[in-house]
mmCIF file of all heavy atoms in Angstrom:
data_model
loop_
_atom_site.group_PDB
_atom_site.id
_atom_site.type_symbol
_atom_site.label_atom_id
_atom_site.label_comp_id
_atom_site.label_asym_id
_atom_site.label_seq_id
_atom_site.Cartn_x
_atom_site.Cartn_y
_atom_site.Cartn_z
ATOM 1 N N PRO B 3 90.561 78.997 87.592
ATOM 2 C CA PRO B 3 90.015 78.662 86.203
ATOM 3 C C PRO B 3 89.247 77.361 86.153
ATOM 4 O O PRO B 3 88.748 77.105 85.129
ATOM 5 C CB PRO B 3 91.365 78.554 85.439
ATOM 6 C CG PRO B 3 92.447 78.322 86.484
ATOM 7 C CD PRO B 3 91.971 78.784 87.806
ATOM 8 N N GLY B 4 89.104 76.708 87.296
ATOM 9 C CA GLY B 4 88.303 75.501 87.225
ATOM 10 C C GLY B 4 89.178 74.328 86.708
ATOM 11 O O GLY B 4 89.899 74.455 85.659
ATOM 12 N N VAL B 5 88.953 73.227 87.334
ATOM 13 C CA VAL B 5 89.723 72.081 86.837
ATOM 14 C C VAL B 5 89.123 71.601 85.540
ATOM 15 O O VAL B 5 87.881 71.462 85.351
ATOM 16 C CB VAL B 5 89.684 70.873 87.803
ATOM 17 C CG1 VAL B 5 90.436 69.723 87.380
ATOM 18 C CG2 VAL B 5 90.110 71.385 89.171
ATOM 19 N N GLY B 6 89.909 71.309 84.544
ATOM 20 C CA GLY B 6 89.488 70.665 83.311
ATOM 21 C C GLY B 6 88.931 71.731 82.335
ATOM 22 O O GLY B 6 88.199 71.359 81.428
ATOM 23 N N SER B 7 89.222 73.003 82.540
ATOM 24 C CA SER B 7 88.755 73.919 81.544
ATOM 25 C C SER B 7 89.454 73.590 80.276
ATOM 26 O O SER B 7 90.553 73.172 80.254
ATOM 27 C CB SER B 7 89.126 75.354 81.979
ATOM 28 O OG SER B 7 90.507 75.614 81.846
ATOM 29 N N ALA B 8 88.718 73.844 79.135
ATOM 30 C CA ALA B 8 89.140 73.296 77.844
ATOM 31 C C ALA B 8 90.633 73.220 77.609
ATOM 32 O O ALA B 8 91.282 72.268 77.816
ATOM 33 C CB ALA B 8 88.387 74.049 76.786
ATOM 34 N N LYS B 9 91.061 74.356 77.086
ATOM 35 C CA LYS B 9 92.580 74.378 77.028
ATOM 36 C C LYS B 9 93.010 75.842 77.002
ATOM 37 O O LYS B 9 94.234 76.089 76.972
ATOM 38 C CB LYS B 9 93.066 73.671 75.714
ATOM 39 C CG LYS B 9 92.696 74.447 74.427
ATOM 40 C CD LYS B 9 93.282 73.809 73.184
ATOM 41 C CE LYS B 9 94.849 74.068 73.148
ATOM 42 N NZ LYS B 9 95.365 73.680 71.885
ATOM 43 N N GLY B 10 92.120 76.668 77.053
ATOM 44 C CA GLY B 10 92.427 78.109 76.970
ATOM 45 C C GLY B 10 93.438 78.445 78.059
ATOM 46 O O GLY B 10 94.428 79.036 77.770
ATOM 47 N N SER B 11 93.074 78.105 79.335
ATOM 48 C CA SER B 11 93.994 78.394 80.328
ATOM 49 C C SER B 11 93.976 77.315 81.348
ATOM 50 O O SER B 11 93.043 77.056 82.042
ATOM 51 C CB SER B 11 93.602 79.747 81.022
ATOM 52 O OG SER B 11 92.401 79.576 81.748
ATOM 53 N N ARG B 12 95.079 76.643 81.480
ATOM 54 C CA ARG B 12 95.239 75.592 82.422
ATOM 55 C C ARG B 12 96.311 76.036 83.489
ATOM 56 O O ARG B 12 97.228 76.772 83.119
ATOM 57 C CB ARG B 12 95.641 74.278 81.870
ATOM 58 C CG ARG B 12 94.549 73.664 80.959
ATOM 59 C CD ARG B 12 95.091 72.385 80.341
ATOM 60 N NE ARG B 12 96.197 72.643 79.492
ATOM 61 C CZ ARG B 12 96.969 71.647 78.855
ATOM 62 N NH1 ARG B 12 96.655 70.425 79.177
ATOM 63 N NH2 ARG B 12 98.024 71.968 78.139
ATOM 64 N N THR B 13 96.081 75.547 84.630
ATOM 65 C CA THR B 13 97.163 75.912 85.622
ATOM 66 C C THR B 13 98.502 75.166 85.270
ATOM 67 O O THR B 13 98.415 74.127 84.571
ATOM 68 C CB THR B 13 96.730 75.517 86.976
ATOM 69 O OG1 THR B 13 97.724 75.905 87.945
ATOM 70 C CG2 THR B 13 96.496 74.031 87.079
ATOM 71 N N GLN B 14 99.520 75.708 85.636
ATOM 72 C CA GLN B 14 100.882 75.143 85.344
ATOM 73 C C GLN B 14 100.911 73.631 85.754
ATOM 74 O O GLN B 14 101.452 72.886 84.984
ATOM 75 C CB GLN B 14 101.885 75.889 86.036
ATOM 76 C CG GLN B 14 102.073 77.412 85.743
ATOM 77 C CD GLN B 14 102.899 77.592 84.396
ATOM 78 O OE1 GLN B 14 102.660 76.989 83.371
ATOM 79 N NE2 GLN B 14 103.919 78.412 84.566
ATOM 80 N N GLU B 15 100.400 73.395 86.886
ATOM 81 C CA GLU B 15 100.562 72.086 87.393
ATOM 82 C C GLU B 15 99.751 71.040 86.539
ATOM 83 O O GLU B 15 100.097 69.951 86.334
ATOM 84 C CB GLU B 15 99.970 72.003 88.834
ATOM 85 C CG GLU B 15 100.423 70.845 89.628
ATOM 86 C CD GLU B 15 100.006 70.862 91.111
ATOM 87 O OE1 GLU B 15 99.725 72.007 91.525
ATOM 88 O OE2 GLU B 15 99.934 69.752 91.624
ATOM 89 N N GLU B 16 98.555 71.571 86.025
ATOM 90 C CA GLU B 16 97.743 70.755 85.171
ATOM 91 C C GLU B 16 98.533 70.495 83.859
ATOM 92 O O GLU B 16 98.632 69.331 83.420
ATOM 93 C CB GLU B 16 96.446 71.438 84.787
ATOM 94 C CG GLU B 16 95.395 71.343 85.892
ATOM 95 C CD GLU B 16 94.188 72.170 85.581
ATOM 96 O OE1 GLU B 16 94.278 73.152 84.806
ATOM 97 O OE2 GLU B 16 93.108 71.815 86.114
ATOM 98 N N ARG B 17 99.029 71.516 83.265
ATOM 99 C CA ARG B 17 99.778 71.289 81.999
ATOM 100 C C ARG B 17 100.939 70.375 82.169
ATOM 101 O O ARG B 17 101.118 69.442 81.436
ATOM 102 C CB ARG B 17 100.395 72.709 81.566
ATOM 103 C CG ARG B 17 99.304 73.704 81.191
ATOM 104 C CD ARG B 17 99.943 74.982 80.979
ATOM 105 N NE ARG B 17 100.771 75.067 79.776
ATOM 106 C CZ ARG B 17 101.491 76.119 79.443
ATOM 107 N NH1 ARG B 17 101.364 77.197 80.122
ATOM 108 N NH2 ARG B 17 102.247 76.179 78.346
ATOM 109 N N SER B 18 101.641 70.578 83.313
ATOM 110 C CA SER B 18 102.800 69.681 83.578
ATOM 111 C C SER B 18 102.355 68.259 83.701
ATOM 112 O O SER B 18 102.905 67.338 83.050
ATOM 113 C CB SER B 18 103.472 70.194 84.811
ATOM 114 O OG SER B 18 104.722 69.567 85.067
ATOM 115 N N ALA B 19 101.412 68.051 84.535
ATOM 116 C CA ALA B 19 100.895 66.583 84.777
ATOM 117 C C ALA B 19 100.431 66.003 83.508
ATOM 118 O O ALA B 19 100.713 64.854 83.259
ATOM 119 C CB ALA B 19 99.870 66.600 85.858
#
Side-chain angles (χ1 to χ4, degrees):
Chain B
V5 183
S7 72
K9 70 172 287 189
S11 71
R12 291 178 300 172
T13 182
Q14 298 274 57
E15 200 175 340
E16 280 173 336
R17 294 171 67 182
S18 192

